[in-house]
Amino acid sequence: MTEHLKMTWRAIMQDKNHHIIVKKLDGKIVSSCVCVIIPNLTRNIRPYAFIENVVTHSDYRGKGYATECLNYAKQIAENTNCYKMMLLTGSKKKEILNFYGNARYNSTDKTAFIQWIE
């Protein structure tokens, strides 16, 4: 493990707005996501939640574990008075898009633009 990785992990663990959510079975992480609460000056100074890195080990997909992670992220967002939750996916696979739709995320309210930085 590099020193940079250790420093980054420590920074994440010390950030009260950064939540790493995991689903464990038999001591093994099978699904996870990241929920970051972002302070905000608009919407009556209510924060919003950004969800990223939703991952489930291929042997455990289709069993509802990622949904459990997303539901836990929603609890965090509600408990911190967020006015919305957002996530982005790079996937174009219909089953992935349907998964997010079934989790009550929509792709019609906002348009995402991304600029990659090298």
Side-chain angles (χ1 to χ4, degrees), residues 91-103:
S91 178
K92 304 295 185 226
K93 293 180 181 177
K94 185 173 178 143
E95 62 270 17
I96 301 293
L97 301 178
N98 287 340
F99 166 74
Y100 289 126
N102 290 336

Side-chain angles (χ1 to χ4, degrees), residues 21-25 28-33 53-57 60 64-70 99:
I21 300 162
V22 299
K23 170 66 177 182
K24 290 171 73 175
L25 289 176
K28 179 169 45 170
I29 296 173
V30 298
S31 189
S32 64
C33 72
N53 300 326
V54 180
V55 180
T56 301
H57 187 283
Y60 297 90
Y65 302 136
T67 299
E68 287 182 39
C69 290
L70 290 176
F99 166 74

Side-chain angles (χ1 to χ4, degrees), residues 6-20:
K6 288 178 190 177
M7 288 175 43
T8 301
W9 179 254
R10 278 193 294 269
I12 289 170
M13 292 295 98
Q14 293 171 358
D15 182 353
K16 69 178 180 67
N17 289 320
H18 204 128
H19 306 270
I20 298 176

